[in-house]
Amino acid sequence: MPDSSKRWLGLLLAAGSAGAGLWLVWHYPLQPGLACLLWLAVAALGFAHWQALPLMIPGLVPVLGFAPWTGWVTFEELDLLVLAVAAGGYAALALGAKRGVELAPAWRRPLAWSGLSKLLLTLFCASLLLAIWRGFEQAGGWQFGWWQGYHEPMNSLRQGKSLWLVLLLLPLWRAAGAGEPAAVQRWFGLAMLLALGGASLAVLWERLAYTGLLNFSSEYRSTGLFWEMHVGGAALDGCLALGLPFALLWVLRERRPWAFAAALGLLLLAGYAALTTFSRGVYLGLPLGAGLCSLLLARQRRAERAAALAAAWPRRGLALAVLLAFGMAAWPVFQAGGYRALLALAGSALLMMVMPPLRLRQTRGQQLLVLLLALLAAALAGGVSWLLAQAVPKSAYVVDALVVLGGLWLAWWLRAGLPRNLSICLMAGAWFWSLACVVVVAGNWGGETVLQRALLPVLGLALAWTGLQLLPGPAAGLLPALSWRAKSLLWTGCLMLFTVVAALAGGAYVSDRMATGQRDLEGRFQHWRLARSLLETPQDWLLGKGVGRFASSFMFVGPAAEQVGDYRLVESAQPPNLLLTSGKHVLGWGELFRVSQRIAAPRGEMQMTLKLRSASDVNLHLEVCEKHLLYNAVCVVKNLPVQSQGGGWQTLQAPLGQAPSLGGRWWAPRFVVFSVALGSPASAVEIAELSLRDAAEPALLTNSDFSRGMAYWFFSSDRHQLPWHIKSLGLHLLFEQGLLGLALGVSLVVAVLWRCSFGHARFHALAPAVVSALLGFLIVGLFESLIDAPRVAFLFYALLLLGLGLRSTRAPLSPSMK
């Protein structure tokens, strides 16, 4: 039994978390019985692994959102996970789990919140609690409902609960750090890496399934598994900004070869995901955050490795020059030969990275002669390769691959200490030949007319490398002297640079986004002025309008022409029905307000049956599409005119026609979604039942009569997104919590940045990543609300509260050492 007041408090928190979690999971829309068993299993794991599991929760945030299947938006799976882990963890602490754990000395414990930090956090929590209460008031008073939307009272709870979930885990984090100081660094760092990996892998599948990995021209912005972007927003952008510095920190610190390779792979994957957001805030915030992370890490190492760092500056300058040279060459090479030529250039870059020191012992003239002979031999071999490419289709790619592989083998042969004179000439010849193959690949793809465009930059690379070899002193050996980690980082940097070049030069959408930056910024300023005008009274300015109230305020107080569609579940009616309304703006394909359900791929003829009523004649839009969240692929569309008939209920039959092949490929599946929307502006319809059948399935829709509320149903607004978001993190805090909440929020962020940059936590292993993640998040937040997505808000508050209590765990100096 608990033997202290703290243990009794822990038991009370465990019981409260268990009660709330079981109550929520019992109402889970999908298989509640199975969900309860799974929840109990997670609680048991939380009891057994109370030191690791609470710190690992952020790792599951990007993949733990099933609203498009469940229909839940107020509550979600993250809430259930936090409550389960908290119930198990607090039960473990209350029943004596720490009694067998030797506590670390106070100076070794990584989490300790100062009095000022506690005061700031308490005041911010009070401001948030007041804003949630004001949100209920603005919505007409507290009214519980499982299926309320963004204009109803429960939206305040939806957006405001993230900080409280983090606070529920905070004592468990502190207890884990007190028992094992390295636990915070190990498990929280791993969780952020998992979060970044989960978000990036989801983007990789999404691009593979819907656009193709190398398609940068379509107006398709990645969303991953962040369903919160169903009305726009930047949930994925915020997750990438928070997670990428942790991957960079892993790369810069890792010494094990296989783990280092995994870290580089994660960094490349995250870079690709960031590129496909097509977000200018991400393009600005992530590089700045990565640069700051590198600087802070270098400062941590400066005292111990001052001499080594001073000697590293020439090598760093050379690495920067290599990146610049390959970047300048990549642009014309890509324009001449596309992705194939760029891939060949990547092979040449790899060959240069692994090249051992040549160490030519001849005179300067003899060195120049050897290099010129190698260049001449490579030119002859390149000519033969071109003739072979003209005669045998696809042979250019095979020859390039063989040259790169042969060069790699030759580099390994040289390291074995075998005769060097001829091998050195062969190594230089292989490098020059690989560059010639880049030109051959470009010409094979684009024809003879592009040879000159690809030849000039490649020849420039060859001459620059030759000049480097002829420099006096140790300059020629700087690049081969780099460690395998430095060379791997340099080649990874080249690959990321090539990807950026491909997106800019090969994708019209990126260039269009950059070209319209000024116009979009002016539109954003206008939107911000309009949002600020919604704060009408001094009380609004001081305390805010309330959490989750922007969309509703904009809808009812903003311009009438900007009012968007909405839905209401009328459960008290007989029969229960869905009240669907349309916006007053222009209703194009992307502007429709849709209510959707994910279904199995239909086969054969599709038949739709509807039971509905309307006070006026409306145009009903029905569609079955391959669709992830916002962008459709193959679709079957039916526009159904509906006459009011006096406002009474009527049953309509609507044949949708033959179903095409839907669902995508087995290795890149596409979701199939049925959607209903109103195609006529400023209209409304009540729908009591929707039934969709095909040749094989009697019913493709689940909960078609809304007898289970909005279970399985989900809503989206593909392109008309400004009415749903303020599009500024600072203005979002001002609108919801007023000047008081904004000042407290800024104070918390400044306190964390100071603490982890110059304060007590500056030497902690996670400090560089924490500061860099917050900086990148804030830069993205200049143009996005971010924390109006609860899962992203959870990640942000988790990092904020961790940084607020983080401190270095170095041993205190004795009086004689001070």
Side-chain angles (χ1 to χ4, degrees), residues 240-262:
L240 294 174
L242 292 175
L244 192 134
F246 288 87
L248 179 62
L249 200 63
W250 183 24
V251 167
L252 295 177
R253 283 186 172 146
E254 186 58 61
R255 293 295 183 270
R256 296 166 296 174
W258 290 109
F260 183 77

Side-chain angles (χ1 to χ4, degrees), residues 566 578-582 613-620 642 678 680-687:
D566 190 22
L578 173 71
L579 175 59
L580 181 63
T581 62
S582 60
R613 67 181 178 184
S614 173
S616 60
D617 294 349
V618 297
N619 182 34
L620 204 61
V642 177
L678 278 171
S680 41
S683 56
V685 64
E686 294 178 80
I687 304 174

